[in-house]
Amino acid sequence: MATTTIEAKVMEIFEHLHTHPETSWNEVETTEFIKNILIDSGCKVRTFDDCTGVVGEIGDGKPVVGIRADMDALWQEVNGKFQANHSCGHDSHMTMVLGVLLSIKEMESIPNGTIRFIFQPAEEKGNGALKIIEKNVVDDVDYLYGVHLRPIQEVENGMATPALFHGAAKHIDGEIIGEDTHGARPHLGVNAIEVGSELVQKLSHIHIDPMVPHSVKVTKFLAGGESSNIIPGNATFSIDMRAQTNEIIEKLATSVEEAVQSISDYYHVPINLSVESMMASAIVDPEAKDIMADSIKKVLGAENLVAPVTTSGSEDFHFYTLKKDHIKATVLGLGCDLKPGLHHPNMSFDHKMIIPGVKILTNTILSTLEHKGVKE
């Protein structure tokens, strides 16, 4: 298969994935589509009985080099209609990883070792990586690489960074449990909206180490119905917490729990909290980062290599290194004129950067296999 043919196939794959988005844990057709490509490419393939996702493997022995792509789309309103939408670039991530496979399969020979292609569900829920870990997919992985498109605010088009220092995140769902009362008799109950207002104020007074970026805020609050003369006693809400380190996110969580408990005590109303999802902060291996940097220079030129980027966003990729500390890992950040931003319903990017992304990742995998630092 000629290079131009591979590139055409890669863009054909992207077009299919882009136009067939599926939300977290519902990536059924996406799993089947990728599985068929893996099988056609001669991979040993593994799927799972209780969840979506698929893993392909070529080669054998050490080192074991993994490359991971997230699969899920977001559910959001796009031009007035709610739908699954690939506004975080996961369609391109899957495409690039499949492009690596297609590129490597066309080579006459590859270095000794195992290459594992991991297509992971539910990154947006924050628990897809944990499921893959639970399935023992990365137990023997020595190096693990990921990729994520970067917005124009972080990395310019045609440039790339060898590491993304994502922050930690934790998302909490809450429920205020009271009873409705008549609008003329507010003394007979507790207004859940007032409780929510107090919660917003309390959270704004949480102060942690100012040297570590962090934030906490209410991102959803639902209370009341159609009748304007009823004081709602019940409400549901969501809290988004962000911090640049795993230690600070836990301190934030503790402070939030204490704030909610104090409000519950003051108003004499139960408030239940549950963790909806969480993300770990980045643990970047210097060796893996350097291999990725060399690949960026080889493909894009040294002038287009960007220093590692610290970003307030989060990514469940980092659970792999948090839970399995033997893994050497990093994530490629690819500049591609992405605007207006990640998760924007009308996000767009320069599709021509998919092929350079494939080349960077392919070179990274091959360079890692040739690396002598991993002993069998």
Side-chain angles (χ1 to χ4, degrees):
M1 186 185 295
T3 301
T4 54
T5 306
I6 291 177
E7 293 181 359
K9 178 64 175 176
V10 165
M11 298 314 297
E12 180 183 318
I13 289 170
F14 172 74
E15 183 62 25
H16 175 89
L17 293 170
H18 181 70
T19 55
H20 293 80
E22 294 178 297
T23 55
S24 304
W25 299 122
N26 297 309
E27 310 95 331
V28 177
E29 293 184 9
T30 303
T31 296
E32 188 67 17
F33 176 77
I34 294 172
K35 183 185 78 172
N36 290 334
I37 295 176
L38 295 174
I39 292 172
D40 291 344
S41 299
C43 289
K44 292 178 284 186
V45 175
R46 178 185 177 189
T47 54
F48 311 103
D49 294 335
D50 60 345
C51 68
T52 47
V54 58
V55 179
E57 185 174 296
I58 57 175
D60 55 70
K62 286 285 193 175
V64 177
V65 182
I67 180 167
R68 170 270 201 182
D70 31 21
M71 303 168 65
D72 52 333
L74 291 156
W75 182 258
Q76 63 184 156
E77 186 175 2
V78 183
N79 301 324
K81 177 185 176 183
F82 276 93
Q83 63 185 64
N85 185 39
H86 272 303
S87 58
C88 201
H90 295 184
D91 46 356
S92 69
H93 303 166
M94 291 183 283
T95 300
M96 283 185 267
V97 173
L98 287 170
V100 172
L101 171 62
L102 296 177
S103 300
I104 290 176
K105 291 299 291 185
E106 287 301 308
M107 297 176 180
E108 293 184 3
S109 64
I110 61 175
N112 293 331
T114 302
I115 306 173
R116 190 166 298 156
F117 302 89
I118 302 167
F119 295 89
Q120 176 213 300
E123 187 277 333
E124 297 295 350
K125 291 293 185 182
N127 50 13
L130 293 172
K131 190 68 171 180
I132 295 296
I133 293 167
E134 176 190 313
K135 297 295 184 180
N136 306 119
V137 171
V138 297
D139 284 2
D140 61 345
V141 168
D142 299 299
Y143 291 83
L144 182 64
Y145 297 104
V147 57
H148 208 301
L149 304 184
R150 301 322 298 161
I152 55 175
Q153 296 90 342
E154 290 184 2
V155 182
E156 294 182 20
N157 192 25
M159 307 181 83
T161 178
L164 294 172
F165 283 90
H166 287 100
K170 199 166 191 176
H171 305 108
I172 292 178
D173 288 338
E175 183 180 13
I176 300 168
I177 305 172
E179 294 181 345
D180 292 353
T181 55
H182 196 289
R185 300 174 182 85
H187 62 291
L188 297 180
V190 175
N191 189 335
I193 296 174
E194 293 177 358
V195 177
S197 177
E198 182 73 16
L199 175 62
V200 171
Q201 292 300 315
K202 280 275 189 182
L203 296 186
S204 69
H205 296 152
I206 292 176
H207 300 294
I208 312 291
D209 185 353
M211 300 303 292
V212 180
H214 62 276
S215 69
V216 55
K217 60 275 185 189
V218 174
T219 53
K220 182 179 73 174
F221 192 87
L222 301 175
E226 295 182 1
S227 300
S228 59
N229 64 342
I230 295 177
I231 298 172
N234 299 290
T236 58
F237 59 91
S238 296
I239 297 174
D240 176 281
M241 289 178 283
R242 308 271 169 168
Q244 210 56 50
T245 68
N246 293 317
E247 294 76 17
I248 293 298
I249 200 73
E250 291 308 316
K251 289 183 178 180
L252 270 181
T254 299
S255 295
V256 167
E257 292 168 4
E258 291 173 349
V260 170
Q261 187 60 53
S262 69
I263 295 171
S264 175
D265 293 341
Y266 180 78
Y267 284 97
H268 304 291
V269 62
I271 304 177
N272 295 335
L273 299 179
S274 62
V275 177
E276 192 272 330
S277 66
M278 62 180 295
M279 302 276 198
S281 64
I283 303 171
V284 175
D285 178 73
E287 192 176 357
K289 174 181 67 67
D290 289 345
I291 294 172
M292 184 74 78
D294 288 341
S295 297
I296 292 171
K297 288 189 285 187
K298 182 176 181 179
V299 175
L300 300 180
E303 69 278 9
N304 291 312
L305 172 65
V306 178
V309 170
T310 297
T311 174
S312 57
S314 56
E315 161 65 78
D316 83 343
F317 177 93
H318 305 298
F319 276 124
Y320 292 112
T321 46
L322 180 66
K323 300 295 185 179
K324 302 291 182 180
D325 59 9
H326 68 276
I327 296 176
K328 299 179 178 182
T330 194
V331 176
L332 168 69
L334 189 66
C336 54
D337 197 32
L338 190 155
K339 55 190 178 184
L342 293 166
H343 289 206
H344 188 283
N346 300 119
M347 182 273 276
S348 66
F349 72 96
D350 183 359
H351 296 173
K352 293 192 295 294
M353 286 303 297
I354 290 176
I355 299 303
V358 170
K359 293 178 179 179
I360 293 168
L361 292 170
T362 300
N363 190 77
T364 298
I365 295 294
L366 296 176
S367 296
T368 304
L369 288 174
E370 293 168 352
H371 186 67
K372 306 301 182 183
V374 176
K375 295 180 173 61
E376 296 189 22

